[in-house]
Amino acid sequence: QGLRGGRPPICGAMALRWARRRWPLAVAMPLLGLLVALPWAQLRCSLAPMASADRRRTSLRSKFRHDSVTVAQEPTPAVAQAPVPPRTRLILASSVVAGLLSSSPARASLDGVPDIMNLQVGRERYVTKIAKYYKALTDAGRLEEEWVQKTLPKMSKAMELWGALMRKEEVPDKFSRRAQKNARAFQRAAKTGDYDATIEAFRVYMDDLPDIHPGGSGKIDLSNPLMPPPSQPWKARE
């Protein structure tokens, strides 16, 4: 009925047949294109808001990343440093030198021949004690029990450690072994209670210390323990 007249057909195929019979081809083709394009236009209109929202989210993400990178790469302003006064630099340098001297004790100098620094540290740590304890002994004029019990072990230990620095090689040699042997002999003499024998043993220890050493003189000046004495035989204190 639709093909013979009356209302136009609804189906696309029927419309094509109806158009071929009723209208020219120039009119039928635009009508067919309109029927096909109408559903696609409706679908595109329904998807347009979603695509626009996606584009807005992508734009916001890109802007946020750009701002973050810009803030992270912004250089930190340099802080101006005040100049250090010369007196402060001198104090800091002195502290560093003192720390190096205290962190390298003479007793740990077993990896080579003791040098000037090793002997200087040894004078500060050991020779000062030797002079102090010997002065206490001679001031008393006799071997007191308290000195023998408390002071003698410290003094003989300092004498042995100073004697260990008298080596002229990387390993203990005759000079260091002799000094340590004399220190032990001094301790034995003091334990006997013989004051004169103790003074004589100390004189032997002092005389056998080498005057010529790679790190300087090994002699001890009891009046100035931090400095080596002039080259002369040591004399027992009267």
Side-chain angles (χ1 to χ4, degrees):
Q1 185 179 2
L3 296 176
R4 293 180 181 180
R7 296 179 300 175
I10 299 176
C11 179
M14 294 175 62
L16 182 59
R17 288 195 299 269
W18 182 81
R20 286 178 179 177
R21 291 183 180 185
R22 299 292 181 181
W23 294 342
L25 184 61
V27 179
M29 291 302 294
L31 180 60
L32 181 60
L34 180 62
L35 292 177
V36 174
L38 183 60
W40 170 250
Q42 293 179 352
L43 179 61
R44 184 175 181 181
C45 291
S46 62
L47 295 177
M50 299 176 60
S52 178
D54 292 338
R55 286 194 298 271
R56 285 197 299 271
R57 284 195 295 268
T58 304
S59 176
L60 290 175
R61 290 174 183 173
S62 301
K63 183 178 180 181
F64 177 76
R65 292 175 181 174
H66 177 73
D67 294 342
S68 301
V69 172
T70 303
V71 172
Q73 294 180 351
E74 184 177 358
T76 304
V79 180
Q81 296 182 355
V84 181
R87 179 178 177 84
T88 304
R89 290 199 297 267
L90 180 60
I91 294 174
L92 292 176
S94 302
S95 301
V96 171
V97 172
L100 291 175
L101 290 176
S102 61
S103 62
S104 58
R107 73 178 63 184
S109 173
L110 299 177
D111 55 347
V113 180
D115 54 12
I116 297 177
M117 181 178 293
N118 296 133
L119 262 64
Q120 182 61 34
V121 175
R123 290 187 182 277
E124 295 175 358
R125 294 196 172 190
Y126 311 132
V127 178
T128 53
K129 295 179 181 179
I130 295 172
K132 176 183 176 182
Y133 299 148
Y134 181 77
K135 184 178 184 300
L137 172 63
T138 55
D139 287 345
R142 60 189 180 90
L143 287 168
E144 297 179 347
E145 182 179 357
E146 183 179 0
W147 188 92
V148 174
Q149 295 294 331
K150 296 182 179 180
T151 306
L152 178 60
K154 300 177 183 178
M155 182 175 177
S156 60
K157 184 66 174 178
M159 293 170 65
E160 287 192 40
L161 292 174
W162 178 250
L165 293 175
M166 297 300 102
R167 67 182 186 274
K168 299 181 181 181
E169 301 177 0
E170 295 183 356
V171 295
D173 55 11
K174 62 179 181 179
F175 300 100
S176 62
R177 286 194 291 265
R178 184 181 353 178
Q180 292 178 316
K181 178 181 178 181
N182 292 337
R184 292 190 292 267
F186 167 79
Q187 185 177 22
R188 289 193 300 268
K191 287 182 177 180
T192 62
D194 189 342
Y195 177 79
D196 294 334
T198 303
I199 296 298
E200 178 63 21
F202 187 76
R203 185 193 65 79
V204 173
Y205 173 83
M206 297 287 282
D207 286 343
D208 286 345
L209 292 175
D211 190 18
I212 301 176
H213 188 274
S217 176
K219 295 292 186 180
I220 296 176
D221 186 357
L222 296 176
S223 61
N224 186 10
L226 296 179
M227 296 296 295
S231 298
Q232 60 183 4
W234 182 87
K235 296 182 180 180
R237 180 175 177 178
E238 300 296 340

PDB file of all heavy atoms in Angstrom, residues 196-215:
ATOM      1  N   ASP A 196     118.804   4.867  97.163  1.00  0.00           N
ATOM      2  CA  ASP A 196     119.983   5.119  96.336  1.00  0.00           C
ATOM      3  C   ASP A 196     119.994   4.236  95.094  1.00  0.00           C
ATOM      4  O   ASP A 196     120.336   4.701  93.995  1.00  0.00           O
ATOM      5  CB  ASP A 196     121.253   4.880  97.157  1.00  0.00           C
ATOM      6  CG  ASP A 196     121.389   5.889  98.295  1.00  0.00           C
ATOM      7  OD1 ASP A 196     120.833   7.005  98.164  1.00  0.00           O
ATOM      8  OD2 ASP A 196     122.030   5.555  99.312  1.00  0.00           O
ATOM      9  N   ALA A 197     119.635   2.976  95.254  1.00  0.00           N
ATOM     10  CA  ALA A 197     119.579   2.082  94.092  1.00  0.00           C
ATOM     11  C   ALA A 197     118.512   2.536  93.103  1.00  0.00           C
ATOM     12  O   ALA A 197     118.679   2.416  91.883  1.00  0.00           O
ATOM     13  CB  ALA A 197     119.318   0.651  94.555  1.00  0.00           C
ATOM     14  N   THR A 198     117.422   3.077  93.635  1.00  0.00           N
ATOM     15  CA  THR A 198     116.357   3.578  92.752  1.00  0.00           C
ATOM     16  C   THR A 198     116.837   4.789  91.962  1.00  0.00           C
ATOM     17  O   THR A 198     116.581   4.890  90.744  1.00  0.00           O
ATOM     18  CB  THR A 198     115.112   3.948  93.583  1.00  0.00           C
ATOM     19  OG1 THR A 198     114.686   2.808  94.327  1.00  0.00           O
ATOM     20  CG2 THR A 198     113.989   4.432  92.695  1.00  0.00           C
ATOM     21  N   ILE A 199     117.521   5.713  92.603  1.00  0.00           N
ATOM     22  CA  ILE A 199     118.054   6.883  91.910  1.00  0.00           C
ATOM     23  C   ILE A 199     119.081   6.466  90.861  1.00  0.00           C
ATOM     24  O   ILE A 199     119.123   7.008  89.744  1.00  0.00           O
ATOM     25  CB  ILE A 199     118.670   7.868  92.920  1.00  0.00           C
ATOM     26  CG1 ILE A 199     117.587   8.413  93.865  1.00  0.00           C
ATOM     27  CG2 ILE A 199     119.359   9.010  92.199  1.00  0.00           C
ATOM     28  CD1 ILE A 199     116.501   9.200  93.188  1.00  0.00           C
ATOM     29  N   GLU A 200     119.931   5.490  91.200  1.00  0.00           N
ATOM     30  CA  GLU A 200     120.925   5.015  90.235  1.00  0.00           C
ATOM     31  C   GLU A 200     120.258   4.341  89.034  1.00  0.00           C
ATOM     32  O   GLU A 200     120.689   4.533  87.886  1.00  0.00           O
ATOM     33  CB  GLU A 200     121.874   4.038  90.921  1.00  0.00           C
ATOM     34  CG  GLU A 200     122.933   3.430  90.014  1.00  0.00           C
ATOM     35  CD  GLU A 200     123.887   4.460  89.431  1.00  0.00           C
ATOM     36  OE1 GLU A 200     124.005   5.567  90.012  1.00  0.00           O
ATOM     37  OE2 GLU A 200     124.522   4.170  88.388  1.00  0.00           O
ATOM     38  N   ALA A 201     119.222   3.574  89.273  1.00  0.00           N
ATOM     39  CA  ALA A 201     118.514   2.932  88.163  1.00  0.00           C
ATOM     40  C   ALA A 201     117.857   3.983  87.264  1.00  0.00           C
ATOM     41  O   ALA A 201     117.831   3.837  86.031  1.00  0.00           O
ATOM     42  CB  ALA A 201     117.465   1.965  88.707  1.00  0.00           C
ATOM     43  N   PHE A 202     117.363   5.047  87.866  1.00  0.00           N
ATOM     44  CA  PHE A 202     116.766   6.116  87.053  1.00  0.00           C
ATOM     45  C   PHE A 202     117.840   6.838  86.241  1.00  0.00           C
ATOM     46  O   PHE A 202     117.607   7.231  85.098  1.00  0.00           O
ATOM     47  CB  PHE A 202     116.032   7.108  87.964  1.00  0.00           C
ATOM     48  CG  PHE A 202     115.243   8.140  87.214  1.00  0.00           C
ATOM     49  CD1 PHE A 202     114.028   7.829  86.622  1.00  0.00           C
ATOM     50  CD2 PHE A 202     115.724   9.438  87.082  1.00  0.00           C
ATOM     51  CE1 PHE A 202     113.298   8.778  85.925  1.00  0.00           C
ATOM     52  CE2 PHE A 202     114.996  10.396  86.391  1.00  0.00           C
ATOM     53  CZ  PHE A 202     113.776  10.061  85.812  1.00  0.00           C
ATOM     54  N   ARG A 203     119.039   7.012  86.814  1.00  0.00           N
ATOM     55  CA  ARG A 203     120.127   7.648  86.090  1.00  0.00           C
ATOM     56  C   ARG A 203     120.529   6.816  84.867  1.00  0.00           C
ATOM     57  O   ARG A 203     120.769   7.356  83.787  1.00  0.00           O
ATOM     58  CB  ARG A 203     121.338   7.835  87.004  1.00  0.00           C
ATOM     59  CG  ARG A 203     122.485   8.608  86.363  1.00  0.00           C
ATOM     60  CD  ARG A 203     123.748   8.500  87.183  1.00  0.00           C
ATOM     61  NE  ARG A 203     124.243   7.121  87.219  1.00  0.00           N
ATOM     62  CZ  ARG A 203     124.919   6.554  86.226  1.00  0.00           C
ATOM     63  NH1 ARG A 203     125.185   7.221  85.123  1.00  0.00           N
ATOM     64  NH2 ARG A 203     125.337   5.303  86.335  1.00  0.00           N
ATOM     65  N   VAL A 204     120.581   5.488  85.048  1.00  0.00           N
ATOM     66  CA  VAL A 204     120.906   4.612  83.918  1.00  0.00           C
ATOM     67  C   VAL A 204     119.850   4.743  82.819  1.00  0.00           C
ATOM     68  O   VAL A 204     120.175   4.793  81.616  1.00  0.00           O
ATOM     69  CB  VAL A 204     121.025   3.152  84.403  1.00  0.00           C
ATOM     70  CG1 VAL A 204     121.200   2.208  83.215  1.00  0.00           C
ATOM     71  CG2 VAL A 204     122.194   3.010  85.376  1.00  0.00           C
ATOM     72  N   TYR A 205     118.603   4.797  83.212  1.00  0.00           N
ATOM     73  CA  TYR A 205     117.517   4.961  82.225  1.00  0.00           C
ATOM     74  C   TYR A 205     117.696   6.263  81.454  1.00  0.00           C
ATOM     75  O   TYR A 205     117.581   6.284  80.215  1.00  0.00           O
ATOM     76  CB  TYR A 205     116.168   4.937  82.941  1.00  0.00           C
ATOM     77  CG  TYR A 205     114.991   5.265  82.042  1.00  0.00           C
ATOM     78  CD1 TYR A 205     114.402   4.287  81.239  1.00  0.00           C
ATOM     79  CD2 TYR A 205     114.459   6.557  81.983  1.00  0.00           C
ATOM     80  CE1 TYR A 205     113.325   4.585  80.414  1.00  0.00           C
ATOM     81  CE2 TYR A 205     113.385   6.863  81.166  1.00  0.00           C
ATOM     82  CZ  TYR A 205     112.818   5.878  80.375  1.00  0.00           C
ATOM     83  OH  TYR A 205     111.756   6.170  79.563  1.00  0.00           O
ATOM     84  N   MET A 206     117.986   7.335  82.154  1.00  0.00           N
ATOM     85  CA  MET A 206     118.119   8.641  81.497  1.00  0.00           C
ATOM     86  C   MET A 206     119.362   8.689  80.595  1.00  0.00           C
ATOM     87  O   MET A 206     119.301   9.249  79.492  1.00  0.00           O
ATOM     88  CB  MET A 206     118.197   9.737  82.564  1.00  0.00           C
ATOM     89  CG  MET A 206     116.951   9.861  83.427  1.00  0.00           C
ATOM     90  SD  MET A 206     115.555  10.602  82.566  1.00  0.00           S
ATOM     91  CE  MET A 206     116.015  12.319  82.616  1.00  0.00           C
ATOM     92  N   ASP A 207     120.448   8.109  81.040  1.00  0.00           N
ATOM     93  CA  ASP A 207     121.674   8.149  80.242  1.00  0.00           C
ATOM     94  C   ASP A 207     121.565   7.323  78.964  1.00  0.00           C
ATOM     95  O   ASP A 207     122.182   7.665  77.944  1.00  0.00           O
ATOM     96  CB  ASP A 207     122.858   7.649  81.069  1.00  0.00           C
ATOM     97  CG  ASP A 207     123.309   8.675  82.101  1.00  0.00           C
ATOM     98  OD1 ASP A 207     122.916   9.854  81.948  1.00  0.00           O
ATOM     99  OD2 ASP A 207     124.029   8.301  83.054  1.00  0.00           O
ATOM    100  N   ASP A 208     120.813   6.244  79.012  1.00  0.00           N
ATOM    101  CA  ASP A 208     120.718   5.369  77.841  1.00  0.00           C
ATOM    102  C   ASP A 208     119.708   5.857  76.801  1.00  0.00           C
ATOM    103  O   ASP A 208     119.626   5.273  75.708  1.00  0.00           O
ATOM    104  CB  ASP A 208     120.345   3.948  78.284  1.00  0.00           C
ATOM    105  CG  ASP A 208     121.516   3.227  78.942  1.00  0.00           C
ATOM    106  OD1 ASP A 208     122.660   3.710  78.785  1.00  0.00           O
ATOM    107  OD2 ASP A 208     121.286   2.202  79.612  1.00  0.00           O
ATOM    108  N   LEU A 209     118.942   6.872  77.109  1.00  0.00           N
ATOM    109  CA  LEU A 209     118.030   7.418  76.094  1.00  0.00           C
ATOM    110  C   LEU A 209     118.855   8.027  74.965  1.00  0.00           C
ATOM    111  O   LEU A 209     119.799   8.786  75.216  1.00  0.00           O
ATOM    112  CB  LEU A 209     117.107   8.476  76.708  1.00  0.00           C
ATOM    113  CG  LEU A 209     116.076   7.970  77.717  1.00  0.00           C
ATOM    114  CD1 LEU A 209     115.319   9.140  78.341  1.00  0.00           C
ATOM    115  CD2 LEU A 209     115.102   6.992  77.078  1.00  0.00           C
ATOM    116  N   PRO A 210     118.542   7.711  73.710  1.00  0.00           N
ATOM    117  CA  PRO A 210     119.377   8.191  72.591  1.00  0.00           C
ATOM    118  C   PRO A 210     119.252   9.696  72.400  1.00  0.00           C
ATOM    119  O   PRO A 210     118.155  10.261  72.472  1.00  0.00           O
ATOM    120  CB  PRO A 210     118.824   7.423  71.388  1.00  0.00           C
ATOM    121  CG  PRO A 210     117.423   7.087  71.757  1.00  0.00           C
ATOM    122  CD  PRO A 210     117.417   6.881  73.230  1.00  0.00           C
ATOM    123  N   ASP A 211     120.365  10.312  72.157  1.00  0.00           N
ATOM    124  CA  ASP A 211     120.367  11.751  71.878  1.00  0.00           C
ATOM    125  C   ASP A 211     120.054  12.039  70.419  1.00  0.00           C
ATOM    126  O   ASP A 211     119.574  13.122  70.074  1.00  0.00           O
ATOM    127  CB  ASP A 211     121.729  12.346  72.266  1.00  0.00           C
ATOM    128  CG  ASP A 211     121.716  13.862  72.239  1.00  0.00           C
ATOM    129  OD1 ASP A 211     120.613  14.436  72.268  1.00  0.00           O
ATOM    130  OD2 ASP A 211     122.795  14.469  72.181  1.00  0.00           O
ATOM    131  N   ILE A 212     120.360  11.089  69.554  1.00  0.00           N
ATOM    132  CA  ILE A 212     120.099  11.237  68.120  1.00  0.00           C
ATOM    133  C   ILE A 212     118.975  10.273  67.738  1.00  0.00           C
ATOM    134  O   ILE A 212     119.070   9.060  67.953  1.00  0.00           O
ATOM    135  CB  ILE A 212     121.368  10.941  67.294  1.00  0.00           C
ATOM    136  CG1 ILE A 212     122.495  11.905  67.701  1.00  0.00           C
ATOM    137  CG2 ILE A 212     121.068  11.068  65.805  1.00  0.00           C
ATOM    138  CD1 ILE A 212     123.803  11.609  67.000  1.00  0.00           C
ATOM    139  N   HIS A 213     117.912  10.849  67.174  1.00  0.00           N
ATOM    140  CA  HIS A 213     116.734  10.058  66.829  1.00  0.00           C
ATOM    141  C   HIS A 213     116.089  10.674  65.597  1.00  0.00           C
ATOM    142  O   HIS A 213     116.177  11.893  65.385  1.00  0.00           O
ATOM    143  CB  HIS A 213     115.753  10.046  68.015  1.00  0.00           C
ATOM    144  CG  HIS A 213     114.594   9.116  67.833  1.00  0.00           C
ATOM    145  ND1 HIS A 213     113.442   9.495  67.181  1.00  0.00           N
ATOM    146  CD2 HIS A 213     114.420   7.827  68.219  1.00  0.00           C
ATOM    147  CE1 HIS A 213     112.596   8.472  67.176  1.00  0.00           C
ATOM    148  NE2 HIS A 213     113.158   7.457  67.796  1.00  0.00           N
ATOM    149  N   PRO A 214     115.433   9.869  64.742  1.00  0.00           N
ATOM    150  CA  PRO A 214     114.770  10.447  63.561  1.00  0.00           C
ATOM    151  C   PRO A 214     113.745  11.518  63.896  1.00  0.00           C
ATOM    152  O   PRO A 214     113.520  12.441  63.105  1.00  0.00           O
ATOM    153  CB  PRO A 214     114.105   9.226  62.905  1.00  0.00           C
ATOM    154  CG  PRO A 214     114.941   8.072  63.331  1.00  0.00           C
ATOM    155  CD  PRO A 214     115.398   8.393  64.716  1.00  0.00           C
ATOM    156  N   GLY A 215     113.135  11.408  65.075  1.00  0.00           N
ATOM    157  CA  GLY A 215     112.158  12.422  65.479  1.00  0.00           C
ATOM    158  C   GLY A 215     112.733  13.490  66.380  1.00  0.00           C
ATOM    159  O   GLY A 215     111.986  14.328  66.878  1.00  0.00           O
TER     160      GLY A 215
END
